[in-house]
């Protein structure tokens, strides 16, 4: 980690990403609350986040743009544009202006997906391959810690001074992030020209995942996992109400426990990846999530509290492991489209799971939903564990063949 932070450009990149996410996380929670205040409708407030998710589905278009441009100059343009994008939220004064929020959030989702992909691609080229695990582990630690603070900050500022300061603050963080990225000294080579139709360029990221066994397997595991996590949006309200018999505000306590577990796990994510690899790091994260879901089904705070923390601990290991593997196994000129494809492949089932979870929690006992979540994450862990074991065995066998093969006529060992 010291070697990573000793690099000036890496410090600037991490700081830019942290500042960017700080403003966004504070604004997002405040927007949902503000829409609820203006309309009195939970559904209208929920549509705020749905509009954002809808915008992120345009990620493949953003990924194609990322692979056609140098990432640092692109981010220096995207961030100020995002700052301008949020300013129309200052015009939202009553329930008739809520459509402004939905329009901005949809565009915000597209901009956020494109910016996130560009940052992932820039990280891949800026950070040495052997330090990618350290970089992703550090980012997860900081971002999970930020999620403990930003929602409280957003809600507090909204209650005290209204939405305006949060909108202007978010715009300012975008500008500051652009300035930090502008100070990065790394100079990228101009991307090679892509002589394909726009549709073929967008599809290439999906094709690369499909034809690369490790990426394909991690994606399947991630899809199973996000379906389980998608149910969390509804089920933990029932855990607090029907299970613990506490008021809805107690969900904030569970959120803090989840965040605490995530921060602690994120701090050791890079060490874990160095010792066992990305595959087993993700498997351990999935096992933590399964155990956390199972404990949350017990109607006692003595089980739910540690279960929530354990579930939170699994998140940074899953995310950091997947991100690191994709960055190590993907060519730099394809990173944008591959990352965008992964985001869509995960985002669609997650959105469906959120909707299905909201419906299921009204029809069946919440413990049944938690049992289904446990099964999904356990199945994901088992699937990835078996594939990771086979992949390692295959690598060892190839190494043994190369070591014992007789010298060829040219003096090299045969690798056939």
């Amino acid at each position: 980690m010291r070697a990573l932070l000793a690099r000036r450009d890496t410090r600037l990149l991490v700081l830019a990403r942290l500042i960017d996410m700080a403003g966004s996380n504070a604004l997002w929670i405040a927007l949902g609350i503000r829409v609820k205040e203006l309309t009195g409708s939970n559904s209208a407030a929920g549509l705020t986040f749905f509009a954002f998710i809808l915008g992120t589905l345009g990620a493949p278009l953003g990924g194609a743009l990322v692979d056609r441009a140098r990432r640092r100059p692109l981010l220096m343009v995207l961030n100020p544009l995002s700052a301008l994008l949020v300013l129309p939220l200052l015009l939202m004064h009553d329930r008739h202006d809520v459509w402004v929020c939905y329009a901005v959030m949809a565009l915000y989702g597209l901009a956020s997906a494109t910016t996130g992909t560009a940052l992932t691609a820039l990280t891949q080229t800026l950070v040495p391959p052997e330090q990618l695990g350290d970089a992703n582990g550090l980012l997860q630690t900081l971002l999970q810690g930020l999620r403990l603070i930003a929602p409280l900050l957003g809600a507090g500022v909204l209650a005290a001074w209204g939405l305006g300061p949060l909108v202007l603050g978010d715009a300012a963080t975008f500008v500051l992030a652009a300035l930090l990225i502008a100070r990065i000294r790394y100079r990228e080579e101009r991307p090679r020209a892509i002589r394909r139709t726009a549709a073929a360029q967008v599809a290439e990221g999906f094709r690369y995942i499909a034809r690369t066994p490790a990426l394909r397997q991690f994606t399947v595991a991630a899809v199973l996992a996000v379906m389980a996590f998608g149910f969390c949006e509804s089920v933990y309200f029932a855990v607090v109400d029907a299970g613990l018999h506490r008021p809805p505000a107690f969900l904030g306590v569970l959120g803090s426990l989840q965040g605490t577990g995530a921060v602690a796990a994120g701090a050791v994510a890079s060490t874990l990846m160095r010792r066992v690899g990305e595959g087993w790091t993700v498997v351990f994260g999935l096992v933590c999530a399964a155990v956390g879901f199972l404990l949350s089904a017990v109607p006692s705070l003595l089980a739910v509290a540690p279960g929530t923390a354990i579930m939170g601990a699994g998140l940074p290991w899953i995310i950091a492991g997947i991100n690191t593997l994709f960055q190590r196994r993907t060519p730099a000129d394809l990173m944008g489209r591959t990352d965008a494809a992964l985001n869509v492949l995960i985002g669609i089932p997650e959105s469906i799971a959120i909707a299905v979870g909201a419906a299921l929690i009204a029809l069946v006992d919440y413990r049944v939903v938690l049992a289904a979540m446990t099964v999904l994450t356990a199945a994901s862990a088992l699937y990835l564990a078996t594939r990771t074991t086979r992949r390692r065995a295959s690598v060892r066998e190839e190494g043994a063949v190369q070591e014992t093969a007789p010298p060829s006529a040219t003096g090299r060992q045969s690798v056939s």
Side-chain angles (χ1 to χ4, degrees):
M1 190 67 72
R2 287 184 179 178
L4 176 72
L5 293 178
R7 297 167 57 88
R8 174 182 178 275
D9 287 350
T10 304
R11 293 198 303 271
L12 289 171
L13 181 62
V14 170
L15 185 58
R17 191 160 197 174
L18 189 64
I19 289 172
D20 182 351
M21 290 304 298
S24 297
N25 284 349
L27 179 62
W28 291 343
I29 187 67
L31 279 175
I33 296 171
R34 184 57 178 155
V35 170
K36 167 69 174 177
E37 291 174 346
L38 293 176
T39 65
S41 169
N42 289 324
S43 297
L47 284 175
T48 300
F49 304 102
F50 179 77
F52 178 85
I53 292 172
L54 194 64
T56 63
L57 297 183
L61 297 175
L65 174 63
V66 168
D67 285 340
R68 291 175 66 95
R70 285 178 289 188
R71 284 74 186 259
R72 190 179 71 95
L74 178 62
L75 285 164
M76 291 165 57
V77 173
L78 286 175
N79 278 289
L81 286 178
S82 296
L84 295 175
L85 178 63
V86 301
L87 294 180
L89 291 171
L90 296 171
L91 304 176
M92 193 172 68
H93 302 298
D94 57 44
R95 61 181 302 159
H96 302 294
D97 300 327
V98 170
W99 68 269
V100 174
C101 174
Y102 297 150
V104 168
M105 286 301 280
L107 293 172
Y108 203 144
L110 176 59
S112 179
T114 306
T115 300
T117 291
L119 284 166
T120 298
L122 181 58
T123 302
Q124 181 202 36
T125 55
L126 187 65
V127 177
E130 66 276 9
Q131 293 180 357
L132 283 172
D134 291 337
N136 288 313
L138 174 62
L139 281 171
Q140 283 305 306
T141 304
L142 295 174
L143 293 178
Q144 296 297 336
L146 185 63
R147 291 190 177 106
L148 286 173
I149 303 169
L152 296 175
L153 176 64
V157 171
L158 178 68
W161 297 289
L163 189 64
L166 288 167
V167 173
L168 295 175
D170 193 27
T173 61
F174 283 123
V175 174
L176 182 54
L179 292 174
L180 289 169
I181 291 170
R183 294 191 62 200
I184 292 176
R185 294 170 180 165
Y186 175 75
R187 293 293 180 266
E188 301 171 79
E189 296 181 3
R190 184 179 297 276
R192 61 183 177 82
I194 303 175
R195 302 182 184 280
R196 293 180 182 173
T197 64
Q201 292 177 44
V202 168
E204 185 59 29
F206 294 95
R207 286 199 295 266
Y208 185 73
I209 291 175
R211 67 174 182 257
T212 308
L215 303 191
R216 184 175 65 246
Q217 292 159 9
F218 271 60
T219 301
V220 171
V223 168
L224 290 172
V226 299
M227 290 172 65
F229 280 102
F231 292 153
C232 287
E233 300 294 334
S234 300
V235 76
Y236 275 92
F237 283 101
V239 169
V240 169
D241 181 17
L244 301 178
H245 306 291
R246 302 294 179 100
F250 192 75
L251 190 64
V253 176
L254 295 186
S256 296
L257 288 171
Q258 177 184 332
T260 302
V263 170
V268 299
S270 60
T271 301
L272 187 61
M273 278 187 280
R274 280 198 300 271
R275 292 187 177 181
V276 302
E278 296 94 346
W280 284 109
T281 299
V282 175
V283 169
F284 293 156
L286 292 167
V287 170
C288 284
V291 171
F293 293 147
L294 190 61
L295 287 173
S296 297
V298 180
S300 168
L301 187 58
L302 294 177
V304 173
T308 305
I310 293 170
M311 182 267 286
L315 278 171
W317 290 350
I318 295 170
I319 297 170
I322 291 175
N323 284 346
T324 303
L325 181 97
F326 267 72
Q327 288 170 330
R328 287 202 310 104
R329 298 291 186 91
T330 305
D333 61 356
L334 194 55
M335 189 70 241
R337 284 165 289 171
T338 303
D339 183 71
L342 174 66
N343 290 335
V344 170
L345 291 171
I346 291 176
I348 291 176
E350 182 181 23
S351 303
I352 294 172
I354 292 172
V356 171
L360 277 178
I361 206 65
L363 299 174
V364 300
D365 189 289
Y366 77 93
R367 288 168 291 188
V368 175
V369 180
L370 282 166
M373 294 161 64
T374 303
V375 170
L376 278 172
T377 46
S380 177
L382 181 61
Y383 168 82
L384 190 58
T386 55
R387 270 62 185 179
T388 301
T389 301
R390 290 176 188 172
R391 194 162 52 248
R392 286 196 170 187
S394 177
V395 169
R396 284 196 297 267
E397 288 175 4
E398 286 184 11
V401 168
Q402 292 180 18
E403 288 175 5
T404 59
S408 65
T410 59
R412 294 182 179 179
Q413 288 188 329
S414 171
V415 296
S416 59

